[in-house]
């Protein structure tokens, strides 16, 4: 159901967030696109108990591997929450599109039933990922 709204809003790239976690997939996109991603951490939807579980010490082995991968692929400014590297964030879509089309895409996705659709950041000239 997300494909048509993405097409209409001129999505430039998209990926489902699976084994590399949010930051792993984003690192691939910014490296390939030669841009910098600026994420607003407070805008990233996180399952209510995900941070609590990680703080209790429950992390997958992939969490550390994903951190190594992200660090080798791009520079990251800002403190990294381990939940952003966790492979168990499967299911969400990371979509890049022209900024002028973001509000329209969000509206269309929410009307299609994706109530958690939200803008988590933007891209700009530069390299790497900045977490604010």
């Amino acid at each position: 159901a997300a494909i048509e709204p993405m097409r209409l809003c001129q999505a430039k790239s998209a990926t489902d967030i699976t084994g590399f976690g949010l930051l792993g997939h984003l690192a691939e996109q910014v490296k390939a696109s030669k841009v910098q991603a600026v994420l607003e951490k407070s805008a990233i939807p996180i399952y209510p108990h995900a941070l609590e579980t990680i703080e209790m010490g429950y992390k997958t082995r992939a969490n550390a591997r994903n951190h190594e991968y992200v660090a080798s692929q791009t520079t990251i400014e800002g403190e990294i929450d381990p939940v952003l590297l966790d492979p168990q964030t499967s299911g969400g879509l990371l979509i890049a599109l022209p900024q002028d089309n973001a509000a329209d895409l969000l509206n269309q996705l929410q009307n299609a039933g994706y109530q958690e659709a939200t803008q988590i950041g933007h891209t700009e000239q530069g390299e790497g990922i900045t977490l604010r």
Side-chain angles (χ1 to χ4, degrees):
I3 292 172
E4 187 61 15
M6 288 170 48
R7 188 186 68 72
L8 291 171
C9 292
Q10 303 172 343
K12 301 298 182 193
S13 69
T15 185
D16 61 329
I17 308 303
T18 55
F20 295 111
L22 172 63
L23 293 183
H25 287 283
L26 182 59
E28 289 181 332
Q29 285 185 314
V30 297
K31 183 178 179 188
S33 301
K34 299 180 178 157
V35 296
Q36 176 182 19
V38 179
L39 297 184
E40 300 296 333
K41 289 195 297 187
S42 63
I44 300 171
I46 297 177
Y47 293 114
H49 298 291
L51 288 175
E52 178 182 318
T53 302
I54 285 179
E55 288 170 359
M56 292 171 54
Y58 296 103
K59 295 181 194 174
T60 65
R61 280 183 281 173
N63 198 290
R65 284 195 315 263
N66 287 346
H67 189 275
E68 290 173 17
Y69 172 77
V70 168
S72 73
Q73 295 297 310
T74 189
T75 57
I76 295 197
E77 296 179 28
E79 186 177 337
I80 301 173
D81 290 326
V83 73
L84 301 178
L85 297 162
D86 201 273
Q88 299 179 89
T89 56
S90 300
L93 291 175
L94 179 61
I95 305 166
L97 69 154
Q99 177 64 36
D100 292 345
N101 299 351
D104 188 26
L105 178 63
L106 287 174
N107 186 46
Q108 288 186 49
L109 291 174
Q110 290 169 352
N111 286 339
Y114 297 102
Q115 298 305 312
E116 293 181 1
T118 188
Q119 182 174 349
I120 62 170
H122 66 276
T123 60
E124 53 190 45
Q125 288 184 339
E127 296 180 357
I129 300 170
T130 298
L131 301 169
R132 292 188 183 153

